[in-house]
Amino acid sequence: MICGIDLGTTNSLLGVVEAGFPILLADESGSRLTPSAVSFPQDEAAPPLVGTPALRQRIIHPELTLTSIKRLMGQTTRVGPKHNLPEEISALILGHLKKMGEAAMGQPLTRAVITVPAYFNDSQRAATKRAGELAGFTIERILNEPTAAALAYGLDKLDERSKIAVYDLGGGTFDISILEMRAGVFEVLSTTGDTRLGGDDIDQALLDALILQTGTPPSPAARARLWEAAIAAKHALSSSDSHLLTLPFFDGTRSLEVSLTRTQLEAVARPIIEKTRTHCQRALADARLTPADIHQVILVGGSTRMPLVHQIVADIFGQPPNTSQHPDEAVAMGATIQAGILEGSLRQILLLDVTPLSLGLETFGGLMNVIIPRNTTIPCKAGEMFTNAVPNQPSMLVRVLQGEREMARDNWELGQFAIEFDPGPKGSARVGVQFEIDQNGLLRVLARNTLTQTDRVLEIASTAVDVTDERVESMVSESVAYAIEDMRERIFVEASHKANELLPALDMALAQAGSLIPPDDRERIEAAAAETRAALITGEAARLKAAVTALDHATEQLAAAIVEQAMEASLHRRGLL
Ligand code: ADP
Ligand code: MG
């Protein structure tokens, strides 16, 4: 199982694909968002606090608490009371997410996809990867945040060349990226933003306004409470028009009660959100596009929950933004979808209209011969021509297989039938086998004898029904686990097939034309043939492949001599020589 992780400046999230659906996992308090904060307890022996407990600790011990560590990723500065590298602090956040995910899933999570801003350079990406590894993950992919968001919004289904604007306003950063869909992947056309612009600025501005309203400057503790209350009011005002902010015994004896309206908040927030406008215009200009070229604007980041952001974005791009996803979960959702695609478990939602596993036939030597590869969009048709391997072969058994392994025996058999050949020399029969999968996932295998125009049809309905996600997942992961062994076996089978054709033909050719080539040439051929026979016995794939190639090469002169001899004989017969 691979998990998807959004390692954010303000908040981090982790998801997995379960039963074909991407889900984000929650901690024991039910929260899917973990604040990206780490605090070191004064007691040196105690483990560091991560998430909400760390944020709470910040009020009392700001000097022992680290937030927004993402800004420092890739730098060699040391931070906090233990003089850690930024990636070591990020590793603590990732380790916390890992533990939370493992508790929720009841199984170890060891592989992950992690997102980074599109503008992250190599050292920032490498530091993110190292953070993941320090936390005990194998990093399967580092994914751009806007790309992840586009996946979460389901925009991978858009037409070729579609352009998307990803507007991401988080806690402390603003990113705007323009993507283009090209050959099924998103390409970043431009990306820009402000690394010091986000919801934190709105919180600060609202706090200042509230302090102004209360008259006297509050004590540090009261200020911290007011700050928390301001954030809560800001969140509430994204869905309601007014909010009553109450702080009993604020500043010792005084209680505070302030009624805030959305209009009041917007007056404070507007100048901050307006700052994103020039960045958007810049991103469009960098991509050499105008707002009219943009097919969709998607919203990412918690601050885009504010209705005022919707309004300003609509004004900048001349179209209402797509608000169909939770903006602060979209990046994590996309990372999880990418994880699901990598592990092959997302069949039900994303890959519903494609073949979950490869379909093929068993060929010589027990090999899997893929006719329709995994993840082909249905309906689809593909086929291959077969012929008789020996003279007068009456028939051939066709086994229809599904799976990703190189050897037929490791795949699942869906059915089998015989193809009848007409009597004749080797290679004279012609039977086309066609696989056809209809819209419902029903597989029809058609075998047509092209000489006699007779058909045989095998219908298999089980390709979509029998195959559960777990079975697909284990088939795909087995194919990865056994990739090297499987490939070795395939190489050996293919090379031995060739050797078994070459060696008897060589004996005949040497008997017939061996005297026509120089003796050392003959020696070379015999040595190559001996090496091929030896490799066949020892079963070493690489050795056999090399031996067969060498044998092929060594016999070039002999083959030429035979052709020449045949030519001369023919000319003689016709009295031309
Ligand atoms: P980041 O990408 O920076 O890690 P997020 O995408 O989680 O952060 O965004 C966090 C920001 O979103 C915070 O400033 C938070 O106050 C803000 N936010 C979250 N929910 C809301 C809401 N309902 N209304 C307004 N702002 C919100
Ligand atoms: Mg973010």
Side-chain angles (χ1 to χ4, degrees):
M1 180 172 265
I2 308 178
C3 46
I5 298 176
D6 170 9
L7 180 60
T9 308
T10 316
N11 294 302
S12 297
L13 302 91
L14 175 142
V16 295
V17 172
E18 198 184 28
F21 290 95
I23 51 162
L24 300 180
L25 301 179
D27 61 18
E28 61 280 6
S29 76
S31 171
R32 295 191 288 263
L33 262 63
T34 296
S36 304
V38 174
S39 191
F40 292 88
Q42 276 182 309
D43 172 6
E44 295 262 334
L49 301 169
V50 178
T52 308
L55 275 191
R56 249 181 244 132
Q57 182 80 1
R58 178 168 67 164
I59 301 171
I60 326 164
H61 288 296
E63 76 287 0
L64 299 177
T65 308
L66 295 162
T67 56
S68 299
I69 198 72
K70 188 174 179 176
R71 296 186 195 283
L72 302 179
M73 288 297 271
Q75 297 182 16
T76 49
T77 47
R78 298 200 165 255
V79 292
K82 302 241 165 111
H83 308 288
N84 294 97
L85 284 171
E87 61 251 47
E88 292 169 342
I89 301 298
S90 289
L92 292 172
I93 299 168
L94 292 170
H96 177 88
L97 291 175
K98 184 171 188 277
K99 247 199 245 140
M100 177 205 77
E102 287 173 343
M105 296 306 294
Q107 66 177 89
L109 298 174
T110 56
R111 302 162 72 197
V113 170
I114 304 186
T115 55
V116 294
Y119 61 78
F120 256 29
N121 63 27
D122 281 347
S123 66
Q124 291 168 304
R125 284 165 200 263
T128 303
K129 186 159 184 259
R130 265 199 311 279
E133 288 162 355
L134 283 174
F137 285 115
T138 303
I139 306 307
E140 302 289 336
R141 189 162 300 186
I142 295 287
L143 183 68
N144 283 332
E145 286 166 12
T147 303
L151 272 177
Y153 274 87
L155 302 188
D156 47 318
K157 312 240 168 29
L158 281 184
D159 292 340
E160 265 304 275
R161 299 263 152 191
S162 294
K163 279 121 189 133
I164 307 156
V166 183
Y167 181 104
D168 181 349
L169 189 61
T173 56
F174 170 64
D175 299 320
I176 172 76
S177 311
I178 312 285
L179 309 185
E180 184 180 44
M181 179 58 137
R182 275 194 210 157
V185 294
F186 294 107
E187 201 156 306
V188 181
L189 296 185
S190 66
T191 182
T192 180
D194 186 336
T195 54
R196 300 275 166 184
L197 177 63
D200 294 348
D201 299 307
I202 299 172
D203 303 342
Q204 189 63 51
L206 184 59
L207 181 65
D208 292 346
L210 284 170
I211 290 174
L212 212 66
Q213 205 172 328
T214 55
T216 48
S219 67
R223 190 187 156 89
R225 282 180 70 199
L226 190 58
W227 187 26
E228 260 180 34
I231 294 173
K234 178 186 78 169
H235 291 188
L237 289 171
S238 284
S239 45
S240 47
D241 290 331
S242 64
H243 178 79
L244 191 63
L245 191 150
T246 46
L247 284 175
F249 306 115
F250 171 76
D251 241 4
T253 50
R254 218 158 34 113
S255 288
L256 185 72
E257 204 163 279
V258 184
S259 168
L260 261 181
T261 63
R262 186 186 286 170
T263 314
Q264 286 172 311
L265 169 67
E266 289 182 347
V268 170
R270 186 180 294 277
I272 295 162
I273 301 167
E274 270 297 341
K275 286 187 185 166
T276 65
R277 186 183 292 269
T278 49
H279 296 294
C280 293
Q281 287 162 346
R282 171 78 197 277
L284 282 169
D286 286 350
R288 299 181 193 290
L289 297 172
T290 65
D293 297 319
I294 301 297
H295 294 85
Q296 261 196 55
V297 185
I298 60 175
L299 296 182
V300 182
S303 297
T304 67
R305 287 186 184 264
M306 297 179 75
L308 181 62
V309 172
H310 297 193
Q311 278 173 35
I312 291 177
V313 170
D315 187 56
I316 297 170
F317 289 94
Q319 59 183 298
N322 182 340
T323 56
S324 64
Q325 301 295 313
H326 293 310
D328 38 8
E329 297 184 348
V331 169
M333 211 37 146
T336 303
I337 291 170
Q338 180 66 58
I341 294 171
L342 288 177
E343 69 187 4
S345 64
L346 253 188
R347 187 170 63 93
Q348 282 183 8
I349 59 155
L350 265 181
L351 311 176
L352 185 66
D353 45 357
V354 305
T355 53
L357 291 170
S358 301
L359 292 161
L361 297 171
E362 176 172 343
T363 57
F364 69 87
L367 288 179
M368 166 75 164
N369 175 20
V370 173
I371 306 281
I372 297 179
R374 153 184 159 71
N375 288 349
T376 301
T377 309
I378 59 173
C380 57
K381 256 191 228 182
E384 203 155 296
M385 200 60 109
F386 289 87
T387 187
N388 52 332
V390 292
N392 299 321
Q393 183 182 345
S395 68
M396 174 180 120
L397 184 71
V398 174
R399 292 178 66 211
V400 179
L401 303 170
Q402 181 172 37
E404 304 310 313
R405 303 289 300 275
E406 297 288 342
M407 302 306 295
R409 59 160 194 269
D410 296 321
N411 293 315
W412 307 327
E413 182 177 317
L414 297 178
Q416 50 173 268
F417 63 106
I419 296 175
E420 267 101 49
F421 292 128
D422 300 319
K426 176 185 174 193
S428 63
R430 288 267 171 278
V431 176
V433 173
Q434 189 179 65
F435 278 40
E436 191 179 336
I437 304 179
D438 68 14
Q439 200 57 264
N440 304 315
L442 189 87
L443 171 67
R444 233 166 60 106
V445 181
L446 178 85
R448 169 168 295 172
N449 184 327
T450 55
L451 297 179
T452 60
Q453 292 292 317
T454 46
D455 289 348
R456 288 196 56 125
V457 176
L458 181 69
E459 270 194 11
I460 297 165
S462 65
T463 58
V465 184
D466 264 13
V467 185
T468 61
D469 289 325
E470 295 81 69
R471 291 191 75 202
V472 170
E473 193 178 327
S474 72
M475 170 59 83
V476 173
S477 56
E478 268 169 31
S479 77
V480 174
Y482 293 107
I484 292 173
E485 283 103 315
D486 274 12
M487 200 33 85
R488 213 174 273 144
E489 195 161 357
R490 172 177 279 274
I491 288 169
F492 185 79
V493 168
E494 283 174 352
S496 62
H497 184 70
K498 187 137 190 233
N500 288 328
E501 274 188 341
L502 270 176
L503 290 171
L506 180 66
D507 289 340
M508 272 174 62
L510 280 176
Q512 181 193 338
S515 58
L516 298 176
I517 54 168
D520 55 332
D521 212 16
R522 184 178 177 131
E523 258 168 45
R524 258 213 314 280
I525 294 174
E526 276 166 354
E531 165 64 8
T532 305
R533 288 199 179 91
L536 269 174
I537 292 165
T538 60
E540 296 159 88
R543 181 176 170 194
L544 182 62
K545 193 177 178 192
V548 168
T549 310
L551 183 61
D552 220 9
H553 193 66
T555 54
E556 272 167 15
Q557 276 240 285
L558 179 64
I562 288 173
V563 170
E564 209 169 294
Q565 190 190 39
M567 195 94 106
E568 260 175 44
S570 153
L571 293 175
H572 259 298
R573 267 201 308 278
R574 288 147 68 191
L576 296 170
L577 210 80

